[in-house]
């Protein structure tokens, strides 16, 4: 090849062809803004790049990138010597199973994914786009926080992002994936989202990094000790933990399938191929087994997941925070194809008693479902709030009040099933008739009362028992007789049914059928709320 025939090192920008070549060259740079070696290092660690996370989430060919060619404009601390395209975040929109979403994915190979002015402007733009268009926002986080070299600008950006997160709340679903270490001012972004998915061994979320923690309070620690996936699940910050980037993307797709696009859209309904509404109530394989599920002894345990298997559609249950406050199960599911939120007490953990963590977990989930038009199904077997000096002194009243508030405030359809114990304030809080449930069903094993039979006898008949003891009568026989009387008159579902607090007492095997009918009835529930700016949630 002669010198005159050698290709030019740069395109001829005086021609249209040259300008197109220049554009292609610039766009090609966005695939590896930190260089191919950086991409190879990410792959070598068994992870996906920021761009691959986006394309792996969205339907093939649906991604439209915005601000791909953005570069920072800071000159402080010689930052102008390095100005990679994208500025450390991939932003845009596309579809998931044909439904529109907005998405961003932070790139730790560029300035450790830190958020400077340009990076932040890109995040603001995609968030505002999600708000205006009414589509879910998916954030894939991998950032060590604000870009310190850009000074106070990074703090101003963080404030704008927090404000936008708050404006998005209750308008469109916000899902955050913790794909890498996320710290500092960026840590609150996913904390303000609705749902958090964490990648085990790769993702971590904490406010103050280990070095600063050691300097300020003298504690030597690691990122894993501060905010690993296990820590985030244990303290309730993360809703789901997965093993890889690919698993995280699949989980986000599963979550989106259960959710509407925004607060004005109805809950999704999936019509199974060849489904027949006449046979749909029997579609759950464990429905018939519900009649023999509960042990005869009121002290016997059983797994509430077995109850749910008999009432929700097969393979539709998606449980959130399974390793936090296990005495309450919160989950998305489908009943005859209709997406619902499930709140169920778990008799295998603390006998289903409620504590502060369980109350907070349930309250936030209920408010999320109410914001996005997901009907609520309560499954109740709870002896009450967990008694104890430590809990009371730690503020159990203050910490459990949000549960009462959330249920009373909810305007979506609510259907409650009382399987066994429903005592005291926990009965009231978990979808009782007078707090706002539209339909309440009880199994014949239900025990609805202020307290169990033993404590009711002690409270109501204390003087009678004391008198019998003074007269040297058979107190045990008297107590047994009084127990029978209390169980037949107070601690059963029929006393509540006589008052209208229970709409129907049903065989357990009929539960799914009744839920299908009831949810169809309250699908378009109308509630006229008093005008106000907002309530004062007891935080």
């Amino acid at each position: 090849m002669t010198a005159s025939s050698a290709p030019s090192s740069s395109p001829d920008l005086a021609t249209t062809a040259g300008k197109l070549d220049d554009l292609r060259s610039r766009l090609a740079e966005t695939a590896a803004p930190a260089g191919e070696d950086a991409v190879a290092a990410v792959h070598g660690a068994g992870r996906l790049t920021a761009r691959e996370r986006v394309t792996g989430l969205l339907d093939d060919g649906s991604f439209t990138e915005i601000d791909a060619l953005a570069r920072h404009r800071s000159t402080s601390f010689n930052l102008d010597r390095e100005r990679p395209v994208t500025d450390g975040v991939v932003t845009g929109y596309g579809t998931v199973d044909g439904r529109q979403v907005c998405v961003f994915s932070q790139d730790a190979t560029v300035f450790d994914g830190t958020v400077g002015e340009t990076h932040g402007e890109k995040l603001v733009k995609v968030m505002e786009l999600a708000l205006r268009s009414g589509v879910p926002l998916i954030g894939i986080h991998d950032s060590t926080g604000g870009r310190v070299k850009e000074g106070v600008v990074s703090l101003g950006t963080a404030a704008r992002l927090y404000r936008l997160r708050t404006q998005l709340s209750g308008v469109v679903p916000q899902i955050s994936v913790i794909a890498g270490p996320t710290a500092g001012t960026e840590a609150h972004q996913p904390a303000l989202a609705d749902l958090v998915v964490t990648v085990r061994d790769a993702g971590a979320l904490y406010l103050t990094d280990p070095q600063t923690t050691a300097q300020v309070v003298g504690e030597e620690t690691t990122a894993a000790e501060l905010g690993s996936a296990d820590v985030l699940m244990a303290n309730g910050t993360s809703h789901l933990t997965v093993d890889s980037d690919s698993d995280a993307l699949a989980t986000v797709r599963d979550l989106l399938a259960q959710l509407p696009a925004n607060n004005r859209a109805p809950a999704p309904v999936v019509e199974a191929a060849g489904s027949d509404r006449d046979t749909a109530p029997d579609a759950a394989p464990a429905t018939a087994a519900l009649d023999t599920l509960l042990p005869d002894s009121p002290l016997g345990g059983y797994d509430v997941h077995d109850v749910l298997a008999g009432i929700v559609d097969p393979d539709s249950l998606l449980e959130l925070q399974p390793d936090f406050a296990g005495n309450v199960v919160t989950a998305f599911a489908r009943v005859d194809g209709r997406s619902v939120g499930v709140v169920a007490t778990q008799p295998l953990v603390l006998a289903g008693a409620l504590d502060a963590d369980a109350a907070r977990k349930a309250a936030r989930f209920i408010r999320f479902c109410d914001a996005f038009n997901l009907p609520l199904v309560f499954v109740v077997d709870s002896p009450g709030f967990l008694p104890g000096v430590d809990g009371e002194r730690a503020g159990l009243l203050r910490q459990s009040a949000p549960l009462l508030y959330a249920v009373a405030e909810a305007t979506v359809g609510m259907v409650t099933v009382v399987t066994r114990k429903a005592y005291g304030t926990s009965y009231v809080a978990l979808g009782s008739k007078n707090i706002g449930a539209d339909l309440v069903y009880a199994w014949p094993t239900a025990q609805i009362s202020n307290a169990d039979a033993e404590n009711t006898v002690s409270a109501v008949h204390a003087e009678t028992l004391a008198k019998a003891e003074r007269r040297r009568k058979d107190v045990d026989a008297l107590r047994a007789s009084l127990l029978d009387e209390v169980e037949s008159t107070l601690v059963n579902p029929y006393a509540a049914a006589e008052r209208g607090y229970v709409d129907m007492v049903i065989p357990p095997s009929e539960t799914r059928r009744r839920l299908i009918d009831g949810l169809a009835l309250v699908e378009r529930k109308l509630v006229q709320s008093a005008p106000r700016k907002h309530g004062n949630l007891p935080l």
Side-chain angles (χ1 to χ4, degrees), residues 19-60:
K19 291 176 180 178
L20 287 172
D21 286 342
D22 179 53
L23 172 61
R24 295 187 188 101
S25 176
R26 291 171 183 268
L27 292 177
E29 187 181 347
T30 65
E36 294 295 340
D37 289 346
V39 173
V42 171
H43 289 165
R47 303 171 66 192
L48 300 177
T49 65
R51 186 170 299 278
E52 289 167 341
R53 289 166 180 163
V54 171
T55 56
L57 169 67
L58 302 177
D59 298 337
D60 290 344

Side-chain angles (χ1 to χ4, degrees), residues 79-95:
L79 274 173
D80 51 329
R81 296 179 181 178
E82 187 179 1
R83 299 179 65 236
V85 291
T86 72
D87 200 47
V89 63
V90 179
T91 59
Y93 59 92
T95 61

Side-chain angles (χ1 to χ4, degrees), residues 202-342:
L205 184 67
Y206 45 86
L207 195 56
T208 308
D209 62 67
Q211 182 179 358
T212 304
T213 300
Q215 291 173 345
V216 175
V217 297
E219 293 179 356
E220 296 295 332
T221 187
T222 65
E225 290 175 334
L226 290 172
S228 68
D230 290 339
V231 170
L232 297 178
M233 285 298 285
N235 65 27
T237 302
S238 180
H239 295 83
L240 292 160
T241 300
V242 295
D243 293 327
S244 67
D245 285 346
S246 297
D247 290 341
L249 303 180
T251 299
V252 171
R253 288 193 292 269
D254 289 342
L255 289 169
L256 287 170
Q258 298 273 16
L259 303 176
N262 55 58
N263 62 338
R264 295 187 178 183
V269 177
V270 176
E271 194 74 42
S275 68
D276 183 347
R277 293 284 171 172
D278 292 335
T279 61
D282 301 321
T287 294
L290 294 180
D291 283 342
T292 57
L293 175 63
L294 265 61
D296 291 333
S297 169
L299 300 179
Y302 65 94
D303 192 340
V304 75
H305 290 96
D306 293 332
V307 176
L308 300 179
I311 62 178
V312 305
D313 295 355
D315 303 319
S316 72
L317 191 75
L318 180 53
E319 184 175 354
L320 305 179
Q321 298 176 298
D323 298 321
F324 173 69
N327 38 335
V328 168
V329 173
T330 55
F332 299 122
R334 292 191 181 91
V335 177
D336 195 27
R338 179 180 288 103
S339 288
V340 300
V342 175

Side-chain angles (χ1 to χ4, degrees), residues 151-175:
V152 72
V153 171
S154 65
L155 292 178
T157 298
R160 290 181 68 189
L161 294 173
Y162 298 161
R163 182 176 176 84
L164 262 172
R165 283 285 189 182
T166 305
Q167 292 171 342
L168 285 161
S169 180
V171 179
V172 300
Q174 300 178 73
I175 303 176

Side-chain angles (χ1 to χ4, degrees), residues 138-151:
I138 314 302
I140 304 175
H141 300 266
D142 195 346
S143 168
T144 54
R147 195 170 299 168
V148 176
K149 289 184 177 181
E150 293 197 25

Side-chain angles (χ1 to χ4, degrees), residues 201-484:
D201 299 330
L205 184 67
Y206 45 86
L207 195 56
T208 308
D209 62 67
Q211 182 179 358
T212 304
T213 300
Q215 291 173 345
V216 175
V217 297
E219 293 179 356
E220 296 295 332
T221 187
T222 65
E225 290 175 334
L226 290 172
S228 68
D230 290 339
V231 170
L232 297 178
M233 285 298 285
N235 65 27
T237 302
S238 180
H239 295 83
L240 292 160
T241 300
V242 295
D243 293 327
S244 67
D245 285 346
S246 297
D247 290 341
L249 303 180
T251 299
V252 171
R253 288 193 292 269
D254 289 342
L255 289 169
L256 287 170
Q258 298 273 16
L259 303 176
N262 55 58
N263 62 338
R264 295 187 178 183
V269 177
V270 176
E271 194 74 42
S275 68
D276 183 347
R277 293 284 171 172
D278 292 335
T279 61
D282 301 321
T287 294
L290 294 180
D291 283 342
T292 57
L293 175 63
L294 265 61
D296 291 333
S297 169
L299 300 179
Y302 65 94
D303 192 340
V304 75
H305 290 96
D306 293 332
V307 176
L308 300 179
I311 62 178
V312 305
D313 295 355
D315 303 319
S316 72
L317 191 75
L318 180 53
E319 184 175 354
L320 305 179
Q321 298 176 298
D323 298 321
F324 173 69
N327 38 335
V328 168
V329 173
T330 55
F332 299 122
R334 292 191 181 91
V335 177
D336 195 27
R338 179 180 288 103
S339 288
V340 300
V342 175
V343 178
T345 53
Q346 173 59 283
L348 296 183
V349 180
L350 299 179
L354 300 178
D355 57 5
D357 284 345
R360 289 197 303 269
K361 172 182 174 179
R364 181 160 172 80
F365 179 73
I366 289 164
R367 284 173 65 83
F368 175 79
C369 292
D370 187 50
F372 293 108
N373 307 314
L374 294 177
L376 287 161
V377 174
F378 292 90
V379 178
V380 183
D381 183 353
S382 174
F385 279 89
L386 191 67
V389 174
D390 290 342
E392 295 283 4
R393 288 182 174 177
L396 177 61
L397 277 172
R398 171 180 53 82
Q399 297 178 79
S400 60
L403 174 58
L404 292 163
Y405 190 103
V407 179
E409 181 188 47
T411 60
V412 292
M414 290 190 287
V415 182
T416 300
V417 180
V418 181
T419 62
R420 195 167 59 174
K421 299 181 183 72
Y423 296 150
T425 311
S426 67
Y427 154 71
V428 175
L430 294 169
S432 63
K433 191 74 173 179
N434 283 3
I435 205 169
D438 299 291
L439 294 166
V440 177
Y441 303 119
W443 291 1
T445 48
Q447 304 166 8
I448 303 172
S449 182
N450 276 289
D452 62 18
E454 287 278 356
N455 286 311
T456 299
V457 166
S458 297
V460 174
H461 296 292
E463 185 177 342
T464 300
L465 291 169
K467 185 182 295 185
E469 187 171 6
R470 288 195 300 271
R471 295 178 177 179
R472 300 180 181 275
K473 292 187 177 180
D474 189 341
V475 176
D476 290 338
L478 176 60
R479 180 180 291 275
S481 174
L482 293 173
L483 279 173
D484 289 340

